[in-house]
Amino acid sequence: MSVKMSDNNRKKVVIIGSGLVGSVCACFMAKRGYDVEVFERRDDIRAAVEVKGRSINLALSHRGRKALNSIGIEDDVLESAIPMKGRLLHSAKGELKRVVYDPTFNQCIFSVGRNYLNKKLIQATTNFPNVKIYFNHLLTRSNFEEGSVTLINLKTCEEFKRNADLIIGADGAYSKLRLAMQQTPQFQYSQQYIEHGYLELSIRPQMGHKMEPNNLHIWPRGKFMMIALPNQDSSWTVTIFMPFEKFENLSTPKKVLKFFQDTFPDSVDLIGENDIVDTFLKNRPSELVSIKCSPYHIGGKFLIIGDAAHAMVPFYGQGMNAGFEDCSLLDDLLEKNRNDIAKTIQEYSKVRVKNAHAICDLAMYNYVEMRDLVNRIGFQWRKSIDHLLFRSFPNKWIPLYNSVSFSTMEYNQCVCNRKWQDRVIYKIVMTIGIIIGTIVIIFFKSFIYK
Ligand code: FAD
């Protein structure tokens, strides 16, 4: 891949973490002609043995695709991704109902394996001669005055410092770089663990063909839900999201099976009784955290991106997509500011914080939509009205889900859009109500006076 060698005196970038976002960011920075060093605490996952059926898959949508396109690997990733055109809702009686994401333009989201994607992204960095990845290297300290980070080689236990023009923390929700930022004045930070956890199950390939393909399956049950996303090998990754308290109550094989037979009856044969019981009794549900902070930069060279800056609950399928969009934005701003890093990261915080906070809030809201609202008539009516208006005014009336998943409209703007749309619909409903009310009154009056 050709490297853009602009007049930037070969700036040096250090990226912490070669997860999904760190790897994409490395490609962007390398493409700009920067010398990039990535430090990752884990071993090289390309050499690790994959545990079949256990790796979570992720929904990739427009924002993520755009970033992958910019670094030249969108087509490659989509080749192994599975399109999901809508939600397929499973009722407690096993009846199915389809809710297409975009009946107007047929846009869809894509299911991709996390491990597969991460390996692909790390591999993509090797297309750039100016990227070096160091595995088994842990960030231990950050010195903002000195502009340096301290790392430890986990194989040799050797500790060393690195300076760079730009130091980017892409080290995930429990970011060590963000932890250091939290100790600086005026840094705002909040985290919220929701009272629901998740457990992953799997539908094996032999049974997977019984599931209707190209959909995100949801078993919405009001206060909790189960979802399934397709994998390349015809298996499905099934995730149950539920209050921790409810998980704790399911403490014996009999209780677990009864719960599944009563609540998700059509899934029992697909997953298999033994696998359900085993998963419930041998695993603890994982936590879900939402993190907001501000700003995303310190001084003129430290920046956090991806989950390090804005971990969110997974219900909008936007965590990774937002992280990839961070990389696109950083690149755009560097271009606009002619590689002035200090100016860029300051502007980055200004633009990104409000949008990242907006998607964190939307992700919380979408849990209620997925597990409960989808079953309600009012919600279904609203979706139909939204799509009718979208078809008539595609540039003016963009429904919330479409603006989040199929556009690059700023997340904050998506929320504002939805608010004015709510107001318009409220006014239309009120006007129709008043007209009908007036007609009824006139009709009765004329009837009485006759
Ligand atoms: P991570 O993926 O956490 O990567 C961080 C990397 O940094 C890791 O490789 C880690 O080893 C390394 N690291 C950490 N600390 C250090 C250190 N001190 N030194 C060196 N290296 C370090 N998002 C979507 O867009 N769509 C979805 O459908 C979706 N589904 C999800 C489902 C679930 C159940 C969950 C939990 C999340 C989901 N997400 C989804 C969110 C998505 O997984 C995250 O947003 C994404 O992984 C963030 O990538 P990241 O690179 O910022 O962080």
Side-chain angles (χ1 to χ4, degrees):
M1 186 164 293
S2 72
V3 171
K4 190 167 87 186
M5 292 289 179
S6 51
D7 181 24
N8 53 43
N9 305 322
R10 295 199 68 87
K11 292 201 192 293
K12 213 176 132 194
V13 183
V14 161
I15 298 176
I16 310 298
S18 70
L20 300 171
V21 177
S23 309
V24 168
C25 191
C27 292
F28 268 104
M29 295 300 105
K31 206 174 157 208
R32 296 201 70 72
Y34 295 178
D35 284 329
V36 184
E37 285 187 314
V38 183
F39 294 96
E40 165 60 51
R41 72 171 172 200
R42 291 181 300 181
D43 225 335
D44 186 349
I45 57 162
R46 287 170 300 174
V49 184
E50 202 171 317
V51 189
K52 277 253 153 126
R54 300 299 307 167
S55 64
I56 350 172
N57 36 26
L58 303 148
L60 174 69
S61 51
H62 185 76
R63 294 166 203 265
R65 285 176 58 186
K66 181 172 175 262
L68 296 181
N69 185 275
S70 301
I71 56 169
I73 59 164
E74 184 195 8
D75 291 342
D76 201 9
V77 169
L78 287 188
E79 240 171 58
S80 312
I82 299 172
M84 296 185 291
K85 295 179 180 159
R87 296 168 173 165
L88 199 63
L89 310 178
H90 294 239
S91 78
K93 288 182 188 152
E95 293 151 349
L96 297 178
K97 193 159 92 203
R98 191 184 315 280
V99 184
V100 178
Y101 285 130
D102 183 14
T104 311
F105 298 109
N106 293 321
Q107 298 178 93
C108 56
I109 57 175
F110 292 83
S111 174
V112 273
R114 176 190 288 273
N115 262 329
Y116 165 84
L117 181 60
N118 207 160
K119 284 179 185 177
K120 229 206 158 109
L121 294 175
I122 291 175
Q123 190 59 30
T125 65
T126 64
N127 293 331
F128 299 94
N130 46 338
V131 178
K132 283 199 186 92
I133 303 194
Y134 301 87
F135 295 101
N136 300 298
H137 279 72
L138 179 79
L139 169 75
T140 53
R141 280 191 305 278
S142 310
N143 190 326
F144 299 127
E145 282 81 43
E146 236 181 57
S148 69
V149 280
T150 304
L151 296 131
I152 183 160
N153 179 334
L154 296 171
K155 288 247 157 108
T156 61
C157 295
E158 176 208 356
E159 203 176 52
F160 59 95
K161 273 188 185 178
R162 269 292 193 279
N163 284 286
D165 298 296
L166 174 59
I167 297 175
I168 300 176
D171 48 346
Y174 303 99
S175 165
K176 198 92 189 182
L177 184 53
R178 189 194 62 231
L179 195 67
M181 287 178 163
Q182 283 169 233
Q183 277 131 43
T184 62
Q186 295 296 316
F187 188 83
Q188 309 292 336
Y189 173 78
S190 70
Q191 68 177 38
Q192 184 188 354
Y193 280 97
I194 62 168
E195 286 165 11
H196 294 224
Y198 71 95
L199 209 53
E200 269 186 24
L201 300 125
S202 165
I203 296 174
R204 293 169 195 271
Q206 306 87 286
M207 298 301 270
H209 65 274
K210 295 194 175 170
M211 294 273 282
E212 200 165 314
N214 300 118
N215 285 288
L216 193 159
H217 289 246
I218 311 180
W219 288 256
R221 295 295 179 265
K223 293 212 159 29
F224 58 93
M225 69 174 182
M226 189 164 84
I227 64 168
L229 271 76
N231 296 313
Q232 263 291 315
D233 64 355
S234 300
S235 69
W236 291 72
T237 303
V238 181
T239 315
I240 176 161
F241 297 94
M242 214 163 54
F244 283 104
E245 219 182 1
K246 212 164 172 62
F247 276 113
E248 274 159 32
N249 291 338
L250 302 175
S251 51
T252 66
K254 210 171 153 194
K255 283 184 184 171
V256 173
L257 272 185
K258 177 151 178 27
F259 169 71
F260 260 76
Q261 278 151 358
D262 292 348
T263 323
F264 312 116
D266 58 344
S267 75
V268 177
D269 286 345
L270 293 170
I271 304 171
E273 291 189 356
N274 289 342
D275 282 359
I276 294 174
V277 170
D278 257 23
T279 307
F280 267 75
L281 299 187
K282 290 190 182 152
N283 298 285
R284 275 176 47 80
S286 304
E287 309 272 348
L288 290 166
V289 69
S290 179
I291 290 172
K292 287 182 183 170
C293 62
S294 167
Y296 294 148
H297 73 287
I298 295 281
K301 59 163 73 171
F302 287 88
L303 182 71
I304 47 172
I305 59 171
D307 274 17
H310 46 67
M312 62 194 77
V313 291
F315 306 112
Y316 229 115
Q318 283 295 310
M320 165 190 71
N321 287 290
F324 288 178
E325 192 176 53
D326 292 349
C327 306
S328 303
L329 175 66
L330 178 62
D331 190 53
D332 288 349
L333 293 178
L334 282 167
E335 185 67 28
K336 181 182 143 212
N337 295 321
R338 296 168 179 258
N339 295 306
D340 181 336
I341 288 175
K343 190 173 172 197
T344 294
I345 61 176
Q346 197 178 2
E347 193 176 341
Y348 175 95
S349 279
K350 211 169 162 204
V351 177
R352 200 57 177 159
V353 166
K354 62 175 188 301
N355 287 309
H357 288 192
I359 188 60
C360 285
D361 292 341
L362 280 173
M364 283 284 188
Y365 153 79
N366 218 42
Y367 188 26
V368 184
E369 175 171 321
M370 288 175 86
R371 70 180 196 222
D372 189 21
L373 299 183
V374 285
N375 279 330
R376 298 188 185 215
I377 291 289
F379 176 81
Q380 291 158 16
W381 268 89
R382 172 63 199 261
K383 274 253 175 246
S384 308
I385 294 171
D386 265 341
H387 283 294
L388 190 74
L389 291 167
F390 185 34
R391 201 166 301 144
S392 312
F393 312 103
N395 297 320
K396 288 260 174 327
W397 193 282
I398 305 172
L400 179 62
Y401 188 87
N402 298 58
S403 63
V404 170
S405 300
F406 303 129
S407 88
T408 50
M409 183 188 289
E410 289 194 4
Y411 288 122
N412 193 41
Q413 188 56 44
C414 299
V415 176
C416 294
N417 243 16
R418 172 64 172 209
K419 283 185 181 153
W420 75 252
Q421 289 171 355
D422 283 348
R423 284 197 298 273
V424 170
I425 287 191
Y426 177 75
K427 279 183 188 159
I428 292 173
V429 170
M430 288 302 282
T431 311
I432 293 172
I434 290 168
I435 293 171
I436 292 174
T438 313
I439 292 171
V440 170
I441 290 169
I442 293 170
F443 174 77
F444 274 108
K445 269 189 172 171
S446 62
F447 184 73
I448 289 163
Y449 291 131
K450 266 183 189 168

